């Protein structure tokens, strides 16, 4: 679509910012497309002639490579930028950046530690904007996690998933996913690191079955999947590392904790892992771990996100 047509308003762009912004049917469609892509059932090059800008203001291995490879496999072109190499990184407003990039590219993917920046970019872009992680959410990760659960255990609806550790950005997207994919979610966090009460209330108002615990053994009891993540996220204050480690040590995903879950419980971690901190070697490398399937599924699930956002599926 030409820049002029985009400005003329051929419909609002389909942003992928937060799972709660999008209805369950659309999210399910994205997963179905992702699975078709994984099975090699997508014909042709649906992104041929499309250019996609990726801006990463924070480090990334999985998200950046899986998006870049996925776009190329679908026939698209990628312009990949480190935040510090852009004027956005030097203080140009997200609004002006959005207006300019919308005249060059067909979609914008942003990783930032300021969700306000993502929202401002999306508010002023005339092309779809995709959230590649912010300080408060990581919806692309949850698309891969749901896909991974269902590949191994069938439909996730009604199943108990447990989170142990920090109530961080991935945990918050898990809460949103519980509302949209209709699974039961039990989160164990130290009270100081619990996810925001407003988010819990919002997800519950959308039908999410979410329970909060401080005891990880209570949270994981009988769960079909146990998930954890790093104790220090990219947006966390590094001065608080010792205090966070002390708070989170009882939440480590180790063999003793995993034994409290269902005997066939899956283990997930979005990676990168800090082995010996939030998860032990024996668990992440053990027979119940699906962390590398989860990492692979970023590639497939995000193809569904891209094709949905661009109105091509
Ligand atoms: N899980 C995840 O987002 O990994 P990266 O930080 O490597 O992209």
């Amino acid at each position: 679509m030409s820049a002029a047509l985009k400005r003329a308003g051929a419909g609002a762009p389909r942003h992928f910012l937060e799972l709660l912004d999008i209805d369950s049917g659309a999210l399910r469609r994205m997963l179905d497309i992702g699975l078709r892509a994984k099975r090699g059932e997508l014909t042709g090059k649906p992104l041929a002639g499309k250019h996609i800008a990726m801006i990463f203001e924070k480090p990334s291995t999985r998200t950046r490579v899986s998006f870049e490879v996925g776009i190329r496999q679908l026939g698209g072109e990628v312009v990949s930028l480190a935040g510090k190499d852009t004027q956005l990184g030097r203080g140009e407003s997200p609004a002006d950046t959005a207006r300019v990039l919308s005249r060059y590219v067909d979609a914008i993917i942003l990783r930032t530690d300021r969700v306000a920046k993502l929202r401002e970019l999306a508010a002023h872009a005339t092309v779809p904007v995709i959230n590649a992680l912010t300080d408060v959410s990581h919806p692309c990760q949850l698309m891969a996690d749901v896909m991974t659960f269902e590949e191994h255990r069938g439909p996730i609806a009604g199943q108990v998933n447990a989170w142990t550790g920090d109530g961080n950005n991935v945990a918050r997207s898990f809460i949103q996913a519980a509302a949209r994919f209709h699974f039961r979610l039990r989160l164990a966090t130290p009270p100081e690191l619990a996810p925001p009460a407003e988010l819990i209330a919002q997800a519950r108002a959308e039908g999410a079955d979410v329970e909060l615990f401080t005891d990880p053994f209570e949270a994981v009891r009988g769960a079909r999947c146990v998930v954890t993540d790093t104790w220090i996220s990219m947006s966390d204050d590094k001065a608080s590392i010792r205090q966070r480690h002390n708070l989170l040590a009882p939440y480590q995903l180790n063999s003793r904790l995993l034994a409290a879950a269902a005997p066939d419980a899956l283990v997930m971690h979005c990676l990168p892992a800090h082995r010996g901190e939030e998860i032990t070697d024996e668990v992440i490398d053990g027979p119940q771990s699906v962390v590398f399937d989860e990492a692979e599924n970023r590639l497939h699930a995000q193809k569904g996100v891209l094709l949905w956002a661009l109105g091509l599926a």
Side-chain angles (χ1 to χ4, degrees), residues 135-136 163 166-173 193 229-230 233 244:
D135 48 331
V136 301
W163 176 274
D166 185 17
N168 67 4
N169 49 1
V170 179
R172 296 181 200 191
S173 283
L193 300 176
D229 193 9
T230 178
S233 293
R244 294 175 70 87

Side-chain angles (χ1 to χ4, degrees), residues 62-64 66-67 111 132 138 140-142 144-145 147 270 293-303:
R62 280 144 289 272
T63 309
R64 181 170 172 165
S66 57
F67 262 122
R111 169 170 286 200
H138 197 0
C140 288
Q141 182 65 53
L142 263 295
D145 290 2
M147 177 183 276
C270 69
D293 293 345
E294 192 185 354
E296 179 190 332
N297 281 337
R298 298 292 305 277
L299 172 69
H300 310 300
Q302 287 162 192
K303 286 182 180 174

Side-chain angles (χ1 to χ4, degrees), residues 163-164 187-190 212-221 250-251 257:
W163 176 274
T164 178
L187 296 115
T189 70
L212 299 183
F213 297 83
T214 53
D215 179 349
F217 286 87
E218 270 188 61
V220 308
R221 190 174 299 134
Y251 296 83
L257 182 58

Side-chain angles (χ1 to χ4, degrees), residues 9-52:
R14 281 182 178 175
H15 299 314
F16 184 84
L17 303 182
E18 304 294 345
L19 297 177
L20 281 181
D21 295 343
I22 302 167
D23 66 53
S24 298
L27 293 171
R28 183 52 69 186
R29 207 158 68 243
M30 294 176 216
L31 285 188
D32 290 345
I33 297 163
L35 282 171
R36 284 176 51 213
K38 185 170 185 175
R39 292 194 295 258
E41 293 171 9
L42 288 187
T43 52
K45 297 285 184 190
L47 291 187
K50 303 288 183 196
H51 292 80
I52 296 171

Side-chain angles (χ1 to χ4, degrees), residues 92-107:
E92 184 170 14
S93 76
D96 286 350
T97 304
R99 293 181 182 108
V100 172
L101 290 182
S102 295
R103 294 180 180 223
Y104 300 146
V105 299
D106 298 282

